[in-house]
């Protein structure tokens, strides 16, 4: 390997190390809006080698970047840099001085701040924070969605907004095709849950008919707790029979396994609803409604099951 390539790699590693030391400790950095761990790609850089980071909750970075949100608080004097800025090499965003004496906290939660060299400069940043941004993120209307989140801040649409991260880390629906497949899959999952609930009840009835052992126990009425009146009034002792049905252990285990499968599917659907994406919420309700229409026997004497999908039995 040529010597100049080796030297180039060493230089790159050293530069990365210097940059890592110069920045704040991102592992100890929390979102100012919810105190959750931040996502490093979700940031807005600020002059003076400073930045504000947000968590993966949809809309939090936009709220932090928007001066109208009034999230940035008034200046407070400091004597030293605390966590996560203990090793950060920052400068005042107004005059580029390295002597930092005041801090502007971001919100009431988290631990992020903007640092300035004087109270006057702190008020300048507070009055017009956007003027000190670097590399302002531009929202392209051509993109289906941007970033990714497991939960939105209230019902909203993915289109032109934040992408949905569905259940697992790699499952980001960041295109029309992926979103369409996700929508259809959730509808099918709801239909399957309703079918599986009916199928499980059918299997349970079949187990009882095929393997059920019926026991009859005669219980005398005199064995039940007596009231004061029943003690005074001597009634003839009567007896009645109580019938119970038991199935073998392997049947109970099989039914328990089917119950856990139904419960897991119900919780997956519940998690989709909790994303607060309007389209996927419609998919949840649509799938469960179609499944009810196709498989539920509405003419039976008693309706079985539970309309709560996360606890459907």
């Amino acid at each position: 390997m040529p010597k100049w390539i080796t030297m180039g790699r060493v230089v790159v590693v050293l530069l990365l190390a210097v940059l890592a030391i110069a920045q704040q400790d991102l592992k100890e950095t929390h979102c100012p809006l919810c105190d959750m761990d931040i996502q490093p790609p979700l940031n807005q850089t600020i002059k003076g080698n400073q930045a504000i980071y947000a968590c993966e909750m949809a809309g939090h970075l936009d709220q932090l970047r928007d001066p109208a949100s009034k999230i940035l608080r008034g200046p407070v004097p400091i004597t030293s840099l605390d966590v996560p800025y203990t090793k950060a090499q920052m400068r005042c965003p107004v005059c580029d001085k390295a002597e930092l004496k005041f801090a502007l906290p971001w919100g009431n939660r988290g631990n992020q701040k903007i640092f300035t060299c004087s109270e006057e400069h702190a008020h300048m940043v507070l009055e017009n924070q956007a003027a000190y941004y670097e590399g302002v993120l531009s929202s392209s209307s051509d993109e289906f969605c941007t970033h990714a989140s497991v939960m939105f801040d209230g019902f909203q649409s993915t289109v032109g907004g934040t992408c949905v991260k569905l259940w697992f880390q790699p499952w980001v629906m960041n295109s029309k095709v992926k979103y369409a497949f996700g929508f259809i899959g959730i509808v099918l999952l709801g239909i399957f849950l309703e079918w599986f609930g009916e199928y499980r009840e059918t299997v349970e009835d079949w187990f009882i008919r095929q393997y059920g052992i019926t026991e009859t126990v005669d219980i005398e009425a005199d064995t039940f707790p007596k009231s004061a009146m029943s003690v005074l009034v001597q009634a003839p002792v009567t007896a009645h029979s109580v019938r119970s049905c038991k199935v073998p252990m392997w049947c109970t285990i099989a039914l328990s396994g089917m119950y856990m499968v139904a419960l897991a599917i119900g919780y997956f659907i519940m998690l989709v609803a909790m994303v607060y994406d309007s389209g996927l919420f419609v998919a949840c309700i649509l799938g469960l409604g179609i499944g009810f229409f196709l498989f539920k026997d509405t003419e039976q004497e008693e309706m079985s099951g539970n309309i709560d999908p996360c606890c459907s039995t």
Side-chain angles (χ1 to χ4, degrees):
M1 181 181 296
K3 187 176 181 180
W4 65 272
I5 295 180
T6 304
M7 292 297 296
R9 290 182 175 179
V10 173
V11 171
V12 170
V13 171
L14 290 175
L15 287 175
L16 291 176
V18 171
L19 290 175
I21 295 174
Q23 295 296 328
Q24 65 198 68
D25 186 358
L26 299 183
K27 293 182 179 179
E28 298 293 336
T29 303
H30 304 289
C31 178
L33 297 178
C34 61
D35 207 30
M36 293 174 58
D37 293 338
I38 57 95
Q39 296 295 319
L42 300 178
N43 69 82
Q44 171 59 63
T45 55
I46 301 170
K47 294 179 180 179
N49 196 30
Q50 302 188 45
I52 176 65
Y53 294 86
C55 67
E56 63 180 0
M57 287 282 289
H60 278 197
L61 179 60
D62 293 333
Q63 291 185 47
L64 293 171
R65 292 178 60 245
D66 186 5
S69 300
K70 301 294 183 182
I71 299 174
L72 195 62
R73 305 300 180 184
V76 292
I78 60 171
T79 56
S80 61
L81 299 178
D82 53 2
V83 178
Y85 301 99
T86 52
K87 296 182 180 180
Q89 298 179 4
M90 301 175 295
R91 301 178 303 277
C92 176
V94 179
C95 63
D96 207 38
K97 289 183 178 179
E99 298 178 1
L100 304 176
K101 299 180 180 180
F102 283 84
L104 298 163
W106 287 94
N108 296 322
R109 299 181 180 181
N111 54 358
Q112 300 191 65
K113 303 176 180 70
I114 295 180
F115 297 92
T116 63
C117 65
S118 65
E119 187 174 6
E120 179 185 358
H121 286 183
H123 283 290
M124 292 174 62
V125 174
L126 184 63
E127 292 173 1
N128 189 11
Q129 66 187 60
Y132 301 94
Y133 290 164
E134 290 183 334
V136 179
L137 298 176
S138 60
S139 57
S140 174
S141 58
D142 296 334
E143 296 183 4
F144 178 72
C145 58
T146 57
H147 309 307
S149 177
V150 295
M151 183 182 293
F152 293 169
D153 192 6
F155 278 106
Q156 54 188 278
S157 174
T158 295
V159 181
T162 304
C163 302
V164 172
K165 187 182 296 182
L166 187 62
W167 295 320
F168 305 103
Q169 195 75 16
W171 291 13
V172 178
M173 297 189 293
N174 52 7
S175 67
K176 295 179 181 179
V177 175
K178 292 180 180 179
Y179 191 87
F181 274 107
F183 186 95
I184 296 172
I186 293 167
V187 171
L188 294 177
L189 194 64
I191 295 174
F192 176 79
L193 179 62
E194 290 295 327
W195 170 82
F196 191 74
E198 293 297 307
Y199 177 72
R200 184 169 59 86
E201 292 182 0
T202 302
V203 172
E204 183 178 3
D205 293 339
W206 186 78
F207 280 167
I208 292 174
R209 290 195 304 269
Q210 292 293 118
Y211 306 104
I213 301 174
T214 304
E215 296 180 350
T216 303
V217 179
D218 294 331
I219 301 178
E220 293 185 357
D222 195 44
T223 60
F224 290 97
K226 298 179 180 180
S227 63
M229 182 61 69
S230 64
V231 173
L232 297 175
V233 180
Q234 296 295 330
V237 177
T238 59
H240 67 280
S241 299
V242 176
R243 302 182 63 185
S244 62
C245 183
K246 296 182 179 180
V247 294
M249 179 61 69
W250 69 268
C251 293
T252 304
I253 294 175
L255 292 173
S256 299
M258 297 178 71
Y259 173 79
M260 289 187 289
V261 170
L263 200 62
I265 297 173
Y267 274 115
F268 272 117
I269 295 177
M270 180 197 70
L271 290 174
V272 174
M274 290 178 62
V275 174
Y276 289 104
D277 178 79
S278 303
L280 298 186
F281 182 79
V282 171
C284 293
I285 303 302
L286 187 62
L288 294 171
I290 294 175
F292 181 93
F293 177 80
L294 293 177
F295 304 112
K296 184 67 70 174
D297 183 7
T298 57
E299 296 182 358
Q300 59 184 347
E301 294 182 1
E302 294 183 3
M303 295 289 290
S304 59
N306 190 332
I307 61 173
D308 185 357
C310 74
C311 307
S312 182
T313 58

